[in-house]
Amino acid sequence: MQLKKTDLTGALKILAADASVFVPGEIEGIKRFVLWDGESDVDLGGANTQLPPKDILFPCTEKMYNYKMGDSIEIKEIVEKPRQVIFGIRPCDMRSIDCMDHVFLEKGFVDSYYSRKRENVTLIAMGCTTPERTCFCDSMGLDPNNAPNADVMMNDGGDTLVLEAYTEKGKAVLEALNGLLSEGGQAKKDTACTLKVNMTPELPEKLAGMFDHPIWDEVTRACIGCATCTYVCPTCYCFDIDSDNHGAEGTKFRCWDSCMFSDYTRMAGGHDPRPTKKERVRNRYMHKLSYFHERYGQHLCVGCGRCVEKCPAHMDITMFIDKAAEV
Amino acid sequence: MSSIIEELQSTVKKLLEDGTVGYVIGWGATRFPDRTTPVFITRPEDAHKLVWNHYCVNGTAKYALDDRYPEKKIGIIIRGCDSRAVNRMIQDNQLKRENLYLIGIPCDGKENPVCEGCQHKNPLVYDVLIGTPVEEKINPDRFKEVAEFEKLSQDEKYEYWAKQYDKCIHCYACRNVCPACNCKECYADQYRVGWQGKQNNRNSNQVYGLTRAFHVGDRCIECGECERVCPMGLPIMRQTKKMLKDINDLFGDYECGLNDSRPHVLGEFDLQDRDEFM
Ligand code: SF4
Ligand code: SF4
Ligand code: SF4
Ligand code: SF4
C-alpha cells in the first residue's frame, strides 16, 4: 500500500485521534522524537535523530510509586499504560527495542513498567535513505531498509511512502488509514552504510577471552568518563532507583544510570571493582559486543553511530572493533 | 605545517628515547580527516602517530590528573589554552610542575568557535617550544555576548536557561572535561537522598548548572571545553563569562591561568575590596 506524502499530516491526524504520536522533530537545535503537535510537517528523511526514542518506552526518569509513612506504610503504585505511536523510527532504533525486550521481558522476569508501555505502543518504522558517515548498522547484521519487528514498515517511494503491515497492530493501522491509501508503490530499498566495520562472527567469543589483553590500556585512555555515549545509545538500559522524599512521604523513581560514571559500581564501604576508566570502557565495549551476545544471541550495539558522533574525546567503537578483530 | 609536525614528532621521539618523559599526551588521527583524538605516546617509534592540524581541538592537560604520581615526567603537548589549564591545576594544587614536561606549540586557532576570541594562542609556560610564536590579539568582544544577554529581563533570562537545561542529559561531560573542575569528589557524585541525583528534571538540571558555574567561578580559563563537549549544545560558557565579566567590572583586569601563582579574586580578602553589592 502507499500513502501520498502530501497526505502524511492527514494520516498522522487519524493516528493521533486515540494515541500520543511521537515523530522526528527538533527542540532547541537537537533532533529528537517529539510529541506531534497536530499540525506540523514531519520530515522522515535525512539523518536519524540525535537522541534515540528510547525514553518513550524507558523514560530517563520514571515515577514508580508514592509512599506515606505513618502508623502503617501506605504504598501506591503508579501505573501508566499510555497509548503511544512511534512514527518514523529507524531500523537501528527498532533493533534496540528488540534488545530492550530481551532484557525487560524475558528470562523469567517481566519489568511491569516497561511491559505496560511496550504492549500499548505501535511502532511504525521508516527505512533509511541517507545514512550518516557514522552509521554502520549493516556491519552489525541489520538492514537499514527493513525493521523486522516493526508493526508497520515504511519505505520511501518517491512521492509516496510505501507501507507494509507486519503485525496485527500494523494491520489495524493500515485499516484506519485505508481512506488515504492506494495499491502499489515502488519502495526504495537499496540503502547501504558507507562505514564498513569488521564485526566478524567470531568476535564476541574472541573478546570474551581478551579480558586481560593489553589492548584495553590503549583504547580506553582518552575517555573522560562522562555518560554521553551511554545516554545517547539506544540500547543502554541501566537504571538507578532513588526517592524524592518530603518528610514522611515521597515518591520512588528510577532514572537512567551509566556504567561510565565513577560511582556506578562503588559499593557501600567504598570498594569499587571498576576503579578506573580502563575497567569502565572495557565493560561498555564488552557488554555491547560480547556479554549481551553470550546471553541473548545478538549484539547490543546496533550500529547507530551516535556514540561515535557525540563522544567528547572522539573515542570510536568502530575503530575498537576493527582493532580487536585484527589482534 | 609539515615542518612543524616533523619538529613535533622528532622532539617527542627524542624525549622518549632519552627518558626525559614516560609518555607524551598529544593528538592522533581518527577514522575521519576532520577529527582527532587524544593519544598517549609511550614508545619512541610511535611518535609518528602524533598529528597537528586544524582539528586538534581536545584539551590535553587534564589527562595528567589521571596520573598524579608518575614515575617519570608526563610530557604534554600544549597550546595556549592547555598551558593555562596547566597553570590552573598547579595553582589548585592538583599537579606538580616538576612532574610535567611541557611541549609548547603556538596555535593558529582550531575548528572551534571559542578560538576566534582567544587572547593567548602562544603557550604561557613550556619547557620546549615547537615552531615560532604567533601574533596575539586582544579580543574587544570578550564579554559582548554576555553584555547583550544582560539586557534581557529576568523572566526572559529564566525562560532561556530553563529551555537550555531542559535539554541537559546529566552526562557531566562539561564537568569532566573542565580543568577547573578538579575536586577529588564532585558534590554531584555524593549520594544522599534529596541531594543532587541522577533524576532528570528542570530543577535538578538547573541546580547542577548553577552549582557547576559557581564552583568554577573565578577560576575559569575560558578554554571553551565545556561548551565544545556538551552533546546537547548548551551555551555553558556564557555562565562563567558572566562571572568573569562581573569580576572584571568590580576588580579590574582579570584572566585566569596566565601564571601559576596569582591568587583568585574570590579567594583573597582585602579591606579595600568593593562591597556595595553585598
Ligand atoms: S567513551 Fe566518550 S562519551 Fe563515553 S564516557 Fe568516555 S569520553 Fe564520555
Ligand atoms: S554503542 Fe554506539 S553505535 Fe552502538 S548502538 Fe550504542 S550508541 Fe549506537
Ligand atoms: S571554559 Fe568551561 S571548561 Fe574551560 S575552564 Fe571555563 S568552565 Fe572550565
Ligand atoms: S555537557 Fe551538557 S548535557 Fe552534559 S551535563 Fe553538561 S550541560 Fe548537561
Side-chain angles (χ1 to χ4, degrees):
Chain A
M1 301 300 270
Q2 58 177 344
L3 170 77
K4 284 208 213 87
K5 284 184 180 165
T6 46
D7 284 335
L8 183 56
T9 304
L12 288 170
K13 278 195 173 137
I14 293 171
L15 297 173
D18 64 347
S20 307
V21 180
F22 293 88
V23 295
E26 200 183 294
I27 298 180
E28 294 291 318
I30 298 293
K31 196 170 177 196
R32 63 198 300 172
F33 276 82
V34 299
L35 186 62
W36 189 58
D37 59 7
E39 55 181 37
S40 295
D41 286 342
V42 173
D43 181 6
L44 295 171
N48 196 0
T49 51
Q50 287 165 281
L51 287 172
K54 163 167 88 170
D55 61 333
I56 299 170
L57 297 177
F58 175 51
C60 63
T61 304
E62 178 169 37
K63 291 180 177 156
M64 302 173 79
Y65 60 85
N66 296 317
Y67 58 83
K68 208 174 194 167
M69 287 174 293
D71 295 336
S72 61
I73 299 176
E74 244 177 77
I75 289 183
K76 218 170 158 192
E77 197 186 356
I78 298 167
V79 179
E80 284 178 352
K81 299 184 200 170
R83 278 181 63 89
Q84 304 186 117
V85 174
I86 310 182
F87 191 88
I89 175 174
R90 302 294 174 90
C92 57
D93 293 333
M94 279 304 306
R95 172 67 72 88
S96 77
I97 291 181
D98 199 32
C99 296
M100 295 266 178
D101 287 351
H102 285 311
V103 173
F104 288 129
L105 304 175
E106 288 174 12
K107 304 257 183 203
F109 179 79
V110 173
D111 181 294
S112 52
Y113 294 93
Y114 179 82
S115 77
R116 284 191 286 260
K117 293 192 181 64
R118 180 70 179 91
E119 277 162 22
N120 286 295
V121 74
T122 304
L123 300 163
I124 304 180
M126 176 75 203
C128 289
T129 49
T130 44
E132 291 286 277
R133 65 175 185 174
T134 44
C135 289
F136 59 103
C137 67
D138 58 10
S139 298
M140 301 308 289
L142 280 77
D143 176 358
N145 303 288
N146 189 23
N149 59 331
D151 293 309
V152 175
M153 186 67 219
M154 300 190 287
N155 286 93
D156 196 277
D159 292 338
T160 66
L161 293 165
V162 181
L163 275 60
E164 196 179 337
Y166 287 174
T167 64
E168 290 305 315
K169 265 190 211 170
K171 281 183 196 147
V173 168
L174 295 198
E175 242 156 65
L177 300 183
N178 198 23
L180 297 173
L181 302 179
S182 61
E183 291 291 334
Q186 258 314 324
K188 181 186 168 306
K189 290 189 183 175
D190 56 358
T191 299
C193 301
T194 45
L195 173 52
K196 299 293 178 201
V197 183
N198 194 12
M199 185 71 206
T200 63
E202 300 78 38
L203 196 61
E205 210 176 316
K206 180 177 176 187
L207 280 173
M210 283 173 61
F211 194 80
D212 292 316
H213 196 280
I215 193 172
W216 301 113
D217 294 311
E218 189 191 332
V219 300
T220 60
R221 279 181 90 169
C223 174
I224 64 165
C226 64
T228 303
C229 51
T230 53
Y231 285 173
V232 300
C233 179
T235 73
C236 274
Y237 54 77
C238 284
F239 61 85
D240 196 1
I241 294 179
D242 204 343
S243 38
D244 187 11
N245 199 43
H246 300 277
E249 56 184 73
T251 306
K252 276 272 179 210
F253 61 86
R254 69 174 176 185
C255 57
W256 293 356
D257 200 352
S258 169
C259 60
M260 305 310 290
F261 282 145
S262 58
D263 62 351
Y264 180 82
T265 44
R266 197 190 298 148
M267 302 177 187
H271 175 66
D272 190 344
R274 289 187 209 136
T276 72
K277 55 180 147 184
K278 177 178 159 184
E279 294 81 16
R280 293 174 203 140
V281 176
R282 176 174 61 194
N283 177 70
R284 183 167 75 87
Y285 284 172
M286 284 290 218
H287 192 197
K288 297 288 167 201
L289 306 170
S290 178
Y291 303 155
F292 195 85
H293 191 275
E294 190 188 329
R295 192 168 162 83
Y296 299 109
Q298 68 187 52
H299 307 308
L300 189 61
C301 172
V302 297
C304 74
R306 289 187 178 95
C307 61
V308 180
E309 187 56 46
K310 290 287 186 198
C311 173
H314 303 153
M315 303 247 301
D316 183 338
I317 193 169
T318 68
M319 303 252 285
F320 170 74
I321 295 171
D322 283 354
K323 202 173 264 184
E326 245 167 56
V327 294
Chain B
M1 186 68 84
S2 76
S3 66
I4 294 201
I5 185 70
E6 278 160 26
E7 192 184 338
L8 179 68
Q9 292 174 348
S10 63
T11 305
V12 168
K13 187 160 183 261
K14 206 174 116 277
L15 289 168
L16 287 164
E17 273 165 357
D18 65 21
T20 308
V21 298
Y23 58 92
V24 172
I25 309 171
W27 301 271
T30 68
R31 208 181 258 295
F32 305 108
D34 59 357
R35 201 180 275 184
T36 68
T37 184
V39 288
F40 303 76
I41 305 291
T42 36
R43 300 181 309 171
E45 60 268 34
D46 287 337
H48 71 276
K49 292 184 179 162
L50 288 166
V51 300
W52 174 247
N53 59 36
H54 190 55
Y55 305 101
C56 296
V57 294
N58 298 63
T60 49
K62 201 175 178 190
Y63 288 105
L65 291 186
D66 290 341
D67 190 6
R68 286 169 193 258
Y69 307 99
E71 276 170 42
K72 281 186 184 172
K73 281 178 198 270
I74 305 171
I76 317 178
I77 304 174
I78 54 167
R79 304 158 297 173
C81 49
D82 302 312
S83 74
R84 293 173 72 184
V86 167
N87 283 337
R88 163 84 288 127
M89 290 183 284
I90 290 176
Q91 200 178 2
D92 292 349
N93 281 327
Q94 301 298 316
L95 288 178
K96 288 200 165 71
R97 179 67 177 90
E98 60 268 29
N99 286 340
L100 309 175
Y101 190 93
L102 304 173
I103 304 158
I105 187 159
C107 175
D108 42 3
K110 301 295 172 203
E111 183 73 14
N112 185 346
V114 75
C115 298
E116 275 159 40
C118 177
Q119 306 196 112
H120 301 280
K121 294 183 152 70
N122 297 300
L124 290 144
V125 51
Y126 52 82
D127 294 301
V128 58
L129 191 72
I130 308 291
T132 45
V134 293
E135 197 193 328
E136 300 284 17
K137 272 202 310 271
I138 298 290
N139 172 17
D141 295 334
R142 185 175 168 211
F143 296 121
K144 191 175 162 198
E145 202 187 28
V146 175
E148 281 300 313
F149 192 72
E150 281 172 347
K151 292 182 192 151
L152 298 182
S153 72
Q154 218 156 6
D155 287 345
E156 286 168 328
K157 284 183 212 159
Y158 177 80
E159 197 50 37
Y160 176 85
W161 284 114
K163 275 192 190 147
Q164 291 300 326
Y165 274 95
D166 283 350
K167 287 193 295 183
C168 171
I169 57 171
H170 273 226
C171 67
Y172 295 140
C174 52
R175 170 195 71 184
N176 289 12
V177 83
C178 173
C181 272
N182 48 42
C183 289
K184 192 163 175 231
E185 186 181 19
C186 177
Y187 92 100
D189 288 343
Q190 293 169 334
Y191 181 73
R192 222 178 296 166
V193 171
W195 195 243
Q196 178 80 53
K198 294 192 174 96
Q199 64 271 40
N200 194 304
N201 57 49
R202 188 174 269 195
N203 284 351
S204 151
N205 299 5
Q206 290 193 31
V207 166
Y208 165 67
L210 266 180
T211 313
R212 190 204 79 88
F214 274 113
H215 284 190
V216 174
D218 60 342
R219 297 178 305 113
C220 169
I221 59 160
E222 298 168 73
C223 62
E225 279 292 88
C226 48
E227 213 166 290
R228 178 185 69 79
V229 301
C230 179
M232 295 295 110
L234 273 71
I236 312 174
M237 241 183 118
R238 200 174 279 190
Q239 303 161 345
T240 37
K241 280 260 185 167
K242 163 69 179 151
M243 278 182 281
L244 289 174
K245 178 174 181 292
D246 286 352
I247 291 171
N248 274 264
D249 290 348
L250 288 163
F251 302 104
D253 270 357
Y254 186 69
E255 270 185 290
C256 293
L258 301 192
N259 58 51
D260 59 16
S261 56
R262 172 168 179 178
H264 313 134
V265 157
L266 304 180
E268 61 175 358
F269 173 68
D270 185 330
L271 280 176
Q272 308 310 315
D273 278 348
R274 294 175 62 176
D275 60 3
E276 68 272 16
F277 52 88
M278 286 175 71

